[in-house]
Amino acid sequence: MIDFEKLVKVWGDNFALIGYGVLSTLILSIFGTICGLILGIFLAYGKNIKIKKTDKWFIKTLKSICLAFCNVYSVVLRGTPMMVQALLFKFGCSAIGINWGDIYFEGPINEVFNGWLIAGFIVITFNTAAYMGEIIKSGLNGVDNGQIEGARSLGLTSSLTSIKIILPQALKNALPTIGNELIVNIKDSSVLNVISVTELFYRLNIIAGTTYAFMESYLILAIIYLTLTLIATLILKLIEHKLNGIKFSFNPFRLFRRNSYGK
């Protein structure tokens, strides 16, 4: 049974530590998703490279290398768990003399910003990029060819057409799936505790071990994760409605319906 008095005590006695964990999780998930999206855009364009018969041999070679790299990167990063990637990254860095634990800052800031947070950020960014590459690629391929031809007829170059016409529409169309990745990252950032990233799960796991209040600590953990994902879902729906020109009316019961966000 859950002891609610103990639950309140665990929350009150460890409020600051839990807050540090929440902040670390938000930094990892939000900035990891944003940076992963940026890398994913380049990855999507790399996967969309077309090799033409009229290209010179060295252009064909460069395009082939780029295309192969993007495809292999996508397959490997999407085909292996982020936990395994984090461990490989940690021990791979150790093998070449990089110890992320040596990076620290003086004062309370080190509770959030430290070397392991940087390591976790790198892992979650490159993992997210592989998924974002597929998402953006689908968005790019979904843009109507008539709009591309219209832009060309107005004298826009291929680069300007891509930046001003194709990419904005691809991002807008892919917004629900991009939002899904943010929700997934909020939850999946918990696996980074295996490389000592002091995110939310790491904090509550330590608290549970020191107080022996396992049920209470993990219930707090579940409630916080649920709250973060619901808030993120609400914000993403608000953005989506704004872009579509739809007036947004808040209905909390809709958050529990099956939708595009989260798993």
Side-chain angles (χ1 to χ4, degrees), residues 218-263:
Y218 292 130
L219 179 59
I220 291 172
L221 179 64
I223 292 171
I224 293 174
Y225 273 125
L226 179 61
T227 302
L228 291 177
T229 54
L230 289 178
I231 291 173
T233 300
L234 179 61
I235 293 172
L236 290 165
K237 280 184 174 293
L238 182 61
I239 294 172
E240 184 179 2
H241 279 70
K242 187 71 174 177
L243 290 175
N244 292 329
I246 302 172
K247 186 177 180 180
F248 182 78
S249 58
F250 176 67
N251 184 346
F253 295 103
R254 290 181 181 177
L255 296 177
F256 296 95
R257 295 179 184 175
R258 187 174 180 180
N259 52 57
S260 301
Y261 303 116
K263 287 185 176 180

mmCIF file of all heavy atoms in Angstrom, residues 218-263:
data_model
loop_
_atom_site.group_PDB
_atom_site.id
_atom_site.type_symbol
_atom_site.label_atom_id
_atom_site.label_comp_id
_atom_site.label_asym_id
_atom_site.label_seq_id
_atom_site.Cartn_x
_atom_site.Cartn_y
_atom_site.Cartn_z
ATOM 1 N N TYR A 218 8.447 6.158 -6.799
ATOM 2 C CA TYR A 218 8.136 5.862 -8.195
ATOM 3 C C TYR A 218 6.755 6.381 -8.594
ATOM 4 O O TYR A 218 6.508 6.655 -9.774
ATOM 5 C CB TYR A 218 8.263 4.366 -8.459
ATOM 6 C CG TYR A 218 9.691 3.886 -8.367
ATOM 7 C CD1 TYR A 218 10.032 2.784 -7.590
ATOM 8 C CD2 TYR A 218 10.711 4.557 -9.038
ATOM 9 C CE1 TYR A 218 11.349 2.360 -7.490
ATOM 10 C CE2 TYR A 218 12.030 4.134 -8.947
ATOM 11 C CZ TYR A 218 12.345 3.046 -8.164
ATOM 12 O OH TYR A 218 13.652 2.634 -8.064
ATOM 13 N N LEU A 219 5.851 6.516 -7.629
ATOM 14 C CA LEU A 219 4.562 7.136 -7.933
ATOM 15 C C LEU A 219 4.755 8.614 -8.248
ATOM 16 O O LEU A 219 4.154 9.139 -9.198
ATOM 17 C CB LEU A 219 3.601 6.982 -6.752
ATOM 18 C CG LEU A 219 2.210 7.624 -6.932
ATOM 19 C CD1 LEU A 219 1.499 7.034 -8.150
ATOM 20 C CD2 LEU A 219 1.372 7.453 -5.672
ATOM 21 N N ILE A 220 5.608 9.290 -7.466
ATOM 22 C CA ILE A 220 5.942 10.692 -7.760
ATOM 23 C C ILE A 220 6.553 10.798 -9.151
ATOM 24 O O ILE A 220 6.215 11.688 -9.935
ATOM 25 C CB ILE A 220 6.913 11.248 -6.704
ATOM 26 C CG1 ILE A 220 6.210 11.399 -5.351
ATOM 27 C CG2 ILE A 220 7.493 12.604 -7.145
ATOM 28 C CD1 ILE A 220 7.142 11.758 -4.212
ATOM 29 N N LEU A 221 7.444 9.858 -9.475
ATOM 30 C CA LEU A 221 8.099 9.843 -10.783
ATOM 31 C C LEU A 221 7.068 9.712 -11.905
ATOM 32 O O LEU A 221 7.108 10.463 -12.893
ATOM 33 C CB LEU A 221 9.088 8.676 -10.842
ATOM 34 C CG LEU A 221 9.859 8.473 -12.144
ATOM 35 C CD1 LEU A 221 10.778 9.654 -12.420
ATOM 36 C CD2 LEU A 221 10.664 7.173 -12.081
ATOM 37 N N ALA A 222 6.127 8.781 -11.744
ATOM 38 C CA ALA A 222 5.106 8.565 -12.767
ATOM 39 C C ALA A 222 4.226 9.800 -12.943
ATOM 40 O O ALA A 222 3.897 10.187 -14.079
ATOM 41 C CB ALA A 222 4.249 7.352 -12.394
ATOM 42 N N ILE A 223 3.843 10.418 -11.830
ATOM 43 C CA ILE A 223 2.986 11.607 -11.890
ATOM 44 C C ILE A 223 3.696 12.749 -12.606
ATOM 45 O O ILE A 223 3.095 13.459 -13.428
ATOM 46 C CB ILE A 223 2.557 12.038 -10.473
ATOM 47 C CG1 ILE A 223 1.607 10.999 -9.875
ATOM 48 C CG2 ILE A 223 1.880 13.410 -10.502
ATOM 49 C CD1 ILE A 223 1.289 11.222 -8.410
ATOM 50 N N ILE A 224 4.984 12.934 -12.321
ATOM 51 C CA ILE A 224 5.736 14.018 -12.960
ATOM 52 C C ILE A 224 5.862 13.776 -14.461
ATOM 53 O O ILE A 224 5.646 14.690 -15.274
ATOM 54 C CB ILE A 224 7.130 14.175 -12.319
ATOM 55 C CG1 ILE A 224 6.997 14.658 -10.873
ATOM 56 C CG2 ILE A 224 7.973 15.179 -13.117
ATOM 57 C CD1 ILE A 224 8.313 14.711 -10.119
ATOM 58 N N TYR A 225 6.200 12.537 -14.860
ATOM 59 C CA TYR A 225 6.308 12.230 -16.288
ATOM 60 C C TYR A 225 4.963 12.439 -16.991
ATOM 61 O O TYR A 225 4.904 12.998 -18.091
ATOM 62 C CB TYR A 225 6.769 10.782 -16.494
ATOM 63 C CG TYR A 225 8.267 10.618 -16.490
ATOM 64 C CD1 TYR A 225 8.888 9.720 -15.617
ATOM 65 C CD2 TYR A 225 9.077 11.345 -17.359
ATOM 66 C CE1 TYR A 225 10.258 9.555 -15.618
ATOM 67 C CE2 TYR A 225 10.447 11.192 -17.361
ATOM 68 C CZ TYR A 225 11.037 10.291 -16.482
ATOM 69 O OH TYR A 225 12.394 10.144 -16.479
ATOM 70 N N LEU A 226 3.877 11.999 -16.352
ATOM 71 C CA LEU A 226 2.550 12.174 -16.934
ATOM 72 C C LEU A 226 2.219 13.653 -17.085
ATOM 73 O O LEU A 226 1.700 14.085 -18.128
ATOM 74 C CB LEU A 226 1.504 11.487 -16.060
ATOM 75 C CG LEU A 226 0.047 11.593 -16.525
ATOM 76 C CD1 LEU A 226 -0.121 10.951 -17.904
ATOM 77 C CD2 LEU A 226 -0.895 10.956 -15.514
ATOM 78 N N THR A 227 2.548 14.436 -16.069
ATOM 79 C CA THR A 227 2.283 15.875 -16.119
ATOM 80 C C THR A 227 3.068 16.547 -17.230
ATOM 81 O O THR A 227 2.527 17.361 -17.999
ATOM 82 C CB THR A 227 2.637 16.534 -14.766
ATOM 83 O OG1 THR A 227 1.882 15.915 -13.721
ATOM 84 C CG2 THR A 227 2.339 18.028 -14.794
ATOM 85 N N LEU A 228 4.351 16.201 -17.363
ATOM 86 C CA LEU A 228 5.189 16.800 -18.396
ATOM 87 C C LEU A 228 4.676 16.465 -19.790
ATOM 88 O O LEU A 228 4.627 17.328 -20.676
ATOM 89 C CB LEU A 228 6.633 16.325 -18.243
ATOM 90 C CG LEU A 228 7.411 16.812 -17.017
ATOM 91 C CD1 LEU A 228 8.803 16.190 -16.977
ATOM 92 C CD2 LEU A 228 7.520 18.332 -17.003
ATOM 93 N N THR A 229 4.284 15.208 -20.000
ATOM 94 C CA THR A 229 3.815 14.812 -21.327
ATOM 95 C C THR A 229 2.467 15.451 -21.661
ATOM 96 O O THR A 229 2.218 15.833 -22.810
ATOM 97 C CB THR A 229 3.700 13.279 -21.433
ATOM 98 O OG1 THR A 229 2.885 12.778 -20.372
ATOM 99 C CG2 THR A 229 5.071 12.629 -21.351
ATOM 100 N N LEU A 230 1.589 15.595 -20.663
ATOM 101 C CA LEU A 230 0.297 16.238 -20.907
ATOM 102 C C LEU A 230 0.462 17.724 -21.223
ATOM 103 O O LEU A 230 -0.213 18.260 -22.110
ATOM 104 C CB LEU A 230 -0.624 16.057 -19.699
ATOM 105 C CG LEU A 230 -1.165 14.643 -19.462
ATOM 106 C CD1 LEU A 230 -2.030 14.607 -18.209
ATOM 107 C CD2 LEU A 230 -1.952 14.142 -20.658
ATOM 108 N N ILE A 231 1.359 18.390 -20.506
ATOM 109 C CA ILE A 231 1.621 19.808 -20.781
ATOM 110 C C ILE A 231 2.212 19.973 -22.172
ATOM 111 O O ILE A 231 1.809 20.862 -22.937
ATOM 112 C CB ILE A 231 2.569 20.404 -19.717
ATOM 113 C CG1 ILE A 231 1.853 20.493 -18.364
ATOM 114 C CG2 ILE A 231 3.047 21.796 -20.134
ATOM 115 C CD1 ILE A 231 2.756 20.899 -17.222
ATOM 116 N N ALA A 232 3.175 19.107 -22.522
ATOM 117 C CA ALA A 232 3.787 19.171 -23.852
ATOM 118 C C ALA A 232 2.744 18.922 -24.937
ATOM 119 O O ALA A 232 2.731 19.590 -25.972
ATOM 120 C CB ALA A 232 4.919 18.151 -23.952
ATOM 121 N N THR A 233 1.849 17.954 -24.709
ATOM 122 C CA THR A 233 0.784 17.654 -25.668
ATOM 123 C C THR A 233 -0.122 18.857 -25.868
ATOM 124 O O THR A 233 -0.492 19.204 -26.998
ATOM 125 C CB THR A 233 -0.048 16.456 -25.185
ATOM 126 O OG1 THR A 233 0.796 15.316 -25.060
ATOM 127 C CG2 THR A 233 -1.170 16.148 -26.173
ATOM 128 N N LEU A 234 -0.483 19.516 -24.769
ATOM 129 C CA LEU A 234 -1.355 20.689 -24.842
ATOM 130 C C LEU A 234 -0.694 21.820 -25.633
ATOM 131 O O LEU A 234 -1.328 22.449 -26.483
ATOM 132 C CB LEU A 234 -1.687 21.163 -23.426
ATOM 133 C CG LEU A 234 -2.578 22.408 -23.309
ATOM 134 C CD1 LEU A 234 -3.931 22.153 -23.946
ATOM 135 C CD2 LEU A 234 -2.732 22.823 -21.853
ATOM 136 N N ILE A 235 0.589 22.070 -25.353
ATOM 137 C CA ILE A 235 1.314 23.137 -26.053
ATOM 138 C C ILE A 235 1.423 22.830 -27.543
ATOM 139 O O ILE A 235 1.212 23.711 -28.392
ATOM 140 C CB ILE A 235 2.714 23.334 -25.441
ATOM 141 C CG1 ILE A 235 2.590 23.877 -24.007
ATOM 142 C CG2 ILE A 235 3.560 24.283 -26.285
ATOM 143 C CD1 ILE A 235 3.898 23.923 -23.255
ATOM 144 N N LEU A 236 1.715 21.584 -27.877
ATOM 145 C CA LEU A 236 1.841 21.197 -29.281
ATOM 146 C C LEU A 236 0.505 21.309 -30.018
ATOM 147 O O LEU A 236 0.464 21.721 -31.180
ATOM 148 C CB LEU A 236 2.385 19.772 -29.374
ATOM 149 C CG LEU A 236 3.853 19.608 -28.967
ATOM 150 C CD1 LEU A 236 4.193 18.145 -28.750
ATOM 151 C CD2 LEU A 236 4.768 20.223 -30.008
ATOM 152 N N LYS A 237 -0.576 20.937 -29.355
ATOM 153 C CA LYS A 237 -1.893 21.086 -29.974
ATOM 154 C C LYS A 237 -2.217 22.559 -30.197
ATOM 155 O O LYS A 237 -2.809 22.936 -31.215
ATOM 156 C CB LYS A 237 -2.953 20.436 -29.088
ATOM 157 C CG LYS A 237 -3.041 18.931 -29.213
ATOM 158 C CD LYS A 237 -4.185 18.389 -28.385
ATOM 159 C CE LYS A 237 -4.369 16.898 -28.637
ATOM 160 N NZ LYS A 237 -4.828 16.609 -30.016
ATOM 161 N N LEU A 238 -1.834 23.396 -29.249
ATOM 162 C CA LEU A 238 -2.063 24.833 -29.382
ATOM 163 C C LEU A 238 -1.309 25.385 -30.587
ATOM 164 O O LEU A 238 -1.858 26.167 -31.376
ATOM 165 C CB LEU A 238 -1.618 25.545 -28.100
ATOM 166 C CG LEU A 238 -1.821 27.057 -28.043
ATOM 167 C CD1 LEU A 238 -3.292 27.397 -28.167
ATOM 168 C CD2 LEU A 238 -1.252 27.630 -26.753
ATOM 169 N N ILE A 239 -0.054 24.974 -30.752
ATOM 170 C CA ILE A 239 0.750 25.411 -31.892
ATOM 171 C C ILE A 239 0.147 24.924 -33.205
ATOM 172 O O ILE A 239 0.043 25.672 -34.181
ATOM 173 C CB ILE A 239 2.201 24.909 -31.748
ATOM 174 C CG1 ILE A 239 2.880 25.575 -30.543
ATOM 175 C CG2 ILE A 239 3.002 25.199 -33.019
ATOM 176 C CD1 ILE A 239 4.233 24.994 -30.212
ATOM 177 N N GLU A 240 -0.264 23.667 -33.227
ATOM 178 C CA GLU A 240 -0.846 23.088 -34.443
ATOM 179 C C GLU A 240 -2.129 23.818 -34.833
ATOM 180 O O GLU A 240 -2.350 24.127 -36.014
ATOM 181 C CB GLU A 240 -1.140 21.605 -34.224
ATOM 182 C CG GLU A 240 -1.649 20.899 -35.465
ATOM 183 C CD GLU A 240 -1.906 19.428 -35.239
ATOM 184 O OE1 GLU A 240 -1.724 18.955 -34.105
ATOM 185 O OE2 GLU A 240 -2.307 18.760 -36.196
ATOM 186 N N HIS A 241 -2.981 24.112 -33.854
ATOM 187 C CA HIS A 241 -4.220 24.841 -34.142
ATOM 188 C C HIS A 241 -3.923 26.263 -34.628
ATOM 189 O O HIS A 241 -4.604 26.774 -35.511
ATOM 190 C CB HIS A 241 -5.103 24.893 -32.891
ATOM 191 C CG HIS A 241 -5.898 23.641 -32.661
ATOM 192 N ND1 HIS A 241 -5.308 22.446 -32.289
ATOM 193 C CD2 HIS A 241 -7.228 23.386 -32.762
ATOM 194 C CE1 HIS A 241 -6.237 21.520 -32.169
ATOM 195 N NE2 HIS A 241 -7.408 22.062 -32.447
ATOM 196 N N LYS A 242 -2.906 26.879 -34.044
ATOM 197 C CA LYS A 242 -2.529 28.231 -34.448
ATOM 198 C C LYS A 242 -2.058 28.249 -35.893
ATOM 199 O O LYS A 242 -2.443 29.131 -36.680
ATOM 200 C CB LYS A 242 -1.418 28.748 -33.530
ATOM 201 C CG LYS A 242 -1.045 30.205 -33.746
ATOM 202 C CD LYS A 242 -2.111 31.143 -33.259
ATOM 203 C CE LYS A 242 -1.655 32.586 -33.347
ATOM 204 N NZ LYS A 242 -2.716 33.535 -32.941
ATOM 205 N N LEU A 243 -1.232 27.282 -36.277
ATOM 206 C CA LEU A 243 -0.732 27.225 -37.650
ATOM 207 C C LEU A 243 -1.841 26.937 -38.645
ATOM 208 O O LEU A 243 -1.778 27.372 -39.796
ATOM 209 C CB LEU A 243 0.359 26.143 -37.744
ATOM 210 C CG LEU A 243 1.687 26.457 -37.036
ATOM 211 C CD1 LEU A 243 2.616 25.254 -37.101
ATOM 212 C CD2 LEU A 243 2.365 27.678 -37.655
ATOM 213 N N ASN A 244 -2.849 26.178 -38.215
ATOM 214 C CA ASN A 244 -3.958 25.831 -39.103
ATOM 215 C C ASN A 244 -5.081 26.859 -39.067
ATOM 216 O O ASN A 244 -6.104 26.679 -39.734
ATOM 217 C CB ASN A 244 -4.514 24.454 -38.740
ATOM 218 C CG ASN A 244 -3.538 23.341 -39.053
ATOM 219 O OD1 ASN A 244 -2.750 23.446 -39.991
ATOM 220 N ND2 ASN A 244 -3.568 22.277 -38.270
ATOM 221 N N GLY A 245 -4.898 27.927 -38.260
ATOM 222 C CA GLY A 245 -5.903 28.968 -38.177
ATOM 223 C C GLY A 245 -7.172 28.552 -37.477
ATOM 224 O O GLY A 245 -8.244 29.101 -37.728
ATOM 225 N N ILE A 246 -7.055 27.564 -36.569
ATOM 226 C CA ILE A 246 -8.221 27.064 -35.843
ATOM 227 C C ILE A 246 -8.193 27.622 -34.421
ATOM 228 O O ILE A 246 -7.162 27.608 -33.755
ATOM 229 C CB ILE A 246 -8.227 25.515 -35.782
ATOM 230 C CG1 ILE A 246 -8.211 24.944 -37.196
ATOM 231 C CG2 ILE A 246 -9.416 25.008 -34.992
ATOM 232 C CD1 ILE A 246 -8.029 23.439 -37.235
ATOM 233 N N LYS A 247 -9.352 28.104 -33.955
ATOM 234 C CA LYS A 247 -9.442 28.609 -32.591
ATOM 235 C C LYS A 247 -9.353 27.446 -31.622
ATOM 236 O O LYS A 247 -10.072 26.455 -31.747
ATOM 237 C CB LYS A 247 -10.749 29.374 -32.386
ATOM 238 C CG LYS A 247 -10.829 30.048 -31.022
ATOM 239 C CD LYS A 247 -12.119 30.849 -30.890
ATOM 240 C CE LYS A 247 -12.180 31.529 -29.520
ATOM 241 N NZ LYS A 247 -13.432 32.316 -29.352
ATOM 242 N N PHE A 248 -8.443 27.558 -30.666
ATOM 243 C CA PHE A 248 -8.194 26.458 -29.735
ATOM 244 C C PHE A 248 -9.055 26.608 -28.496
ATOM 245 O O PHE A 248 -9.079 27.663 -27.868
ATOM 246 C CB PHE A 248 -6.719 26.429 -29.327
ATOM 247 C CG PHE A 248 -6.379 25.293 -28.398
ATOM 248 C CD1 PHE A 248 -6.215 24.017 -28.892
ATOM 249 C CD2 PHE A 248 -6.235 25.506 -27.036
ATOM 250 C CE1 PHE A 248 -5.894 22.961 -28.049
ATOM 251 C CE2 PHE A 248 -5.914 24.461 -26.183
ATOM 252 C CZ PHE A 248 -5.746 23.190 -26.696
ATOM 253 N N SER A 249 -9.804 25.559 -28.150
ATOM 254 C CA SER A 249 -10.583 25.541 -26.917
ATOM 255 C C SER A 249 -10.103 24.377 -26.071
ATOM 256 O O SER A 249 -10.024 23.243 -26.556
ATOM 257 C CB SER A 249 -12.075 25.396 -27.217
ATOM 258 O OG SER A 249 -12.318 24.219 -27.956
ATOM 259 N N PHE A 250 -9.758 24.656 -24.838
ATOM 260 C CA PHE A 250 -9.172 23.640 -23.975
ATOM 261 C C PHE A 250 -10.239 22.681 -23.459
ATOM 262 O O PHE A 250 -11.234 23.084 -22.865
ATOM 263 C CB PHE A 250 -8.455 24.295 -22.792
ATOM 264 C CG PHE A 250 -7.905 23.290 -21.804
ATOM 265 C CD1 PHE A 250 -6.877 22.448 -22.154
ATOM 266 C CD2 PHE A 250 -8.448 23.194 -20.525
ATOM 267 C CE1 PHE A 250 -6.366 21.527 -21.263
ATOM 268 C CE2 PHE A 250 -7.945 22.276 -19.620
ATOM 269 C CZ PHE A 250 -6.905 21.447 -19.984
ATOM 270 N N ASN A 251 -10.028 21.404 -23.698
ATOM 271 C CA ASN A 251 -10.882 20.356 -23.156
ATOM 272 C C ASN A 251 -9.972 19.273 -22.599
ATOM 273 O O ASN A 251 -9.388 18.509 -23.366
ATOM 274 C CB ASN A 251 -11.791 19.769 -24.244
ATOM 275 C CG ASN A 251 -12.769 18.740 -23.685
ATOM 276 O OD1 ASN A 251 -12.623 18.260 -22.567
ATOM 277 N ND2 ASN A 251 -13.775 18.406 -24.482
ATOM 278 N N PRO A 252 -9.816 19.183 -21.278
ATOM 279 C CA PRO A 252 -8.864 18.240 -20.701
ATOM 280 C C PRO A 252 -9.140 16.793 -21.052
ATOM 281 O O PRO A 252 -8.230 15.966 -21.096
ATOM 282 C CB PRO A 252 -8.997 18.476 -19.182
ATOM 283 C CG PRO A 252 -10.334 19.114 -19.013
ATOM 284 C CD PRO A 252 -10.557 19.929 -20.250
ATOM 285 N N PHE A 253 -10.409 16.448 -21.334
ATOM 286 C CA PHE A 253 -10.738 15.066 -21.644
ATOM 287 C C PHE A 253 -10.180 14.640 -22.998
ATOM 288 O O PHE A 253 -9.956 13.461 -23.236
ATOM 289 C CB PHE A 253 -12.261 14.879 -21.617
ATOM 290 C CG PHE A 253 -12.855 15.096 -20.250
ATOM 291 C CD1 PHE A 253 -13.517 16.279 -19.949
ATOM 292 C CD2 PHE A 253 -12.714 14.136 -19.256
ATOM 293 C CE1 PHE A 253 -14.062 16.485 -18.693
ATOM 294 C CE2 PHE A 253 -13.248 14.338 -17.999
ATOM 295 C CZ PHE A 253 -13.917 15.512 -17.697
ATOM 296 N N ARG A 254 -9.955 15.609 -23.892
ATOM 297 C CA ARG A 254 -9.391 15.279 -25.204
ATOM 298 C C ARG A 254 -7.953 14.816 -25.106
ATOM 299 O O ARG A 254 -7.450 14.134 -25.987
ATOM 300 C CB ARG A 254 -9.478 16.490 -26.133
ATOM 301 C CG ARG A 254 -10.900 16.825 -26.564
ATOM 302 C CD ARG A 254 -10.904 18.014 -27.505
ATOM 303 N NE ARG A 254 -12.264 18.353 -27.911
ATOM 304 C CZ ARG A 254 -12.567 19.380 -28.675
ATOM 305 N NH1 ARG A 254 -11.611 20.189 -29.116
ATOM 306 N NH2 ARG A 254 -13.819 19.625 -29.004
ATOM 307 N N LEU A 255 -7.266 15.206 -24.034
ATOM 308 C CA LEU A 255 -5.869 14.815 -23.882
ATOM 309 C C LEU A 255 -5.723 13.316 -23.704
ATOM 310 O O LEU A 255 -4.664 12.753 -23.941
ATOM 311 C CB LEU A 255 -5.247 15.541 -22.671
ATOM 312 C CG LEU A 255 -5.173 17.060 -22.774
ATOM 313 C CD1 LEU A 255 -4.610 17.632 -21.488
ATOM 314 C CD2 LEU A 255 -4.339 17.495 -23.962
ATOM 315 N N PHE A 256 -6.802 12.658 -23.272
ATOM 316 C CA PHE A 256 -6.726 11.232 -23.030
ATOM 317 C C PHE A 256 -7.228 10.417 -24.207
ATOM 318 O O PHE A 256 -7.226 9.196 -24.179
ATOM 319 C CB PHE A 256 -7.559 10.880 -21.770
ATOM 320 C CG PHE A 256 -7.018 11.501 -20.523
ATOM 321 C CD1 PHE A 256 -7.525 12.708 -20.053
ATOM 322 C CD2 PHE A 256 -5.981 10.912 -19.855
ATOM 323 C CE1 PHE A 256 -7.017 13.283 -18.903
ATOM 324 C CE2 PHE A 256 -5.465 11.495 -18.700
ATOM 325 C CZ PHE A 256 -5.981 12.671 -18.224
ATOM 326 N N ARG A 257 -7.695 11.116 -25.249
ATOM 327 C CA ARG A 257 -8.086 10.409 -26.460
ATOM 328 C C ARG A 257 -6.851 10.029 -27.260
ATOM 329 O O ARG A 257 -5.791 10.618 -27.142
ATOM 330 C CB ARG A 257 -8.995 11.282 -27.323
ATOM 331 C CG ARG A 257 -10.349 11.590 -26.665
ATOM 332 C CD ARG A 257 -11.172 12.472 -27.586
ATOM 333 N NE ARG A 257 -12.419 12.858 -26.953
ATOM 334 C CZ ARG A 257 -13.286 13.695 -27.493
ATOM 335 N NH1 ARG A 257 -13.026 14.229 -28.692
ATOM 336 N NH2 ARG A 257 -14.389 14.018 -26.866
ATOM 337 N N ARG A 258 -7.025 9.060 -28.118
ATOM 338 C CA ARG A 258 -5.915 8.662 -28.986
ATOM 339 C C ARG A 258 -5.634 9.780 -29.961
ATOM 340 O O ARG A 258 -6.521 10.264 -30.653
ATOM 341 C CB ARG A 258 -6.282 7.383 -29.734
ATOM 342 C CG ARG A 258 -5.125 6.814 -30.524
ATOM 343 C CD ARG A 258 -5.506 5.484 -31.116
ATOM 344 N NE ARG A 258 -4.409 4.916 -31.885
ATOM 345 C CZ ARG A 258 -4.473 3.764 -32.509
ATOM 346 N NH1 ARG A 258 -5.563 3.032 -32.440
ATOM 347 N NH2 ARG A 258 -3.436 3.311 -33.191
ATOM 348 N N ASN A 259 -4.349 10.226 -30.006
ATOM 349 C CA ASN A 259 -3.999 11.308 -30.918
ATOM 350 C C ASN A 259 -2.620 11.078 -31.492
ATOM 351 O O ASN A 259 -2.041 10.013 -31.324
ATOM 352 C CB ASN A 259 -4.067 12.672 -30.190
ATOM 353 C CG ASN A 259 -3.251 12.660 -28.912
ATOM 354 O OD1 ASN A 259 -2.063 12.393 -28.952
ATOM 355 N ND2 ASN A 259 -3.900 12.920 -27.774
ATOM 356 N N SER A 260 -2.093 12.106 -32.155
ATOM 357 C CA SER A 260 -0.826 11.952 -32.859
ATOM 358 C C SER A 260 0.378 11.998 -31.928
ATOM 359 O O SER A 260 1.471 11.624 -32.322
ATOM 360 C CB SER A 260 -0.673 13.088 -33.888
ATOM 361 O OG SER A 260 -1.746 13.049 -34.793
ATOM 362 N N TYR A 261 0.192 12.481 -30.710
ATOM 363 C CA TYR A 261 1.335 12.716 -29.828
ATOM 364 C C TYR A 261 1.489 11.579 -28.841
ATOM 365 O O TYR A 261 0.535 11.108 -28.247
ATOM 366 C CB TYR A 261 1.176 14.034 -29.071
ATOM 367 C CG TYR A 261 1.012 15.203 -29.982
ATOM 368 C CD1 TYR A 261 -0.152 15.940 -29.989
ATOM 369 C CD2 TYR A 261 2.032 15.552 -30.868
ATOM 370 C CE1 TYR A 261 -0.294 17.034 -30.842
ATOM 371 C CE2 TYR A 261 1.889 16.615 -31.711
ATOM 372 C CZ TYR A 261 0.731 17.354 -31.698
ATOM 373 O OH TYR A 261 0.581 18.408 -32.533
ATOM 374 N N GLY A 262 2.724 11.193 -28.640
ATOM 375 C CA GLY A 262 3.031 10.167 -27.651
ATOM 376 C C GLY A 262 2.774 8.766 -28.188
ATOM 377 O O GLY A 262 2.185 8.564 -29.241
ATOM 378 N N LYS A 263 3.263 7.811 -27.408
ATOM 379 C CA LYS A 263 3.089 6.422 -27.814
ATOM 380 C C LYS A 263 1.938 5.778 -27.038
ATOM 381 O O LYS A 263 1.685 6.144 -25.923
ATOM 382 C CB LYS A 263 4.377 5.622 -27.555
ATOM 383 C CG LYS A 263 5.492 5.962 -28.561
ATOM 384 C CD LYS A 263 6.677 5.074 -28.329
ATOM 385 C CE LYS A 263 7.765 5.312 -29.359
ATOM 386 N NZ LYS A 263 8.935 4.470 -29.160
#
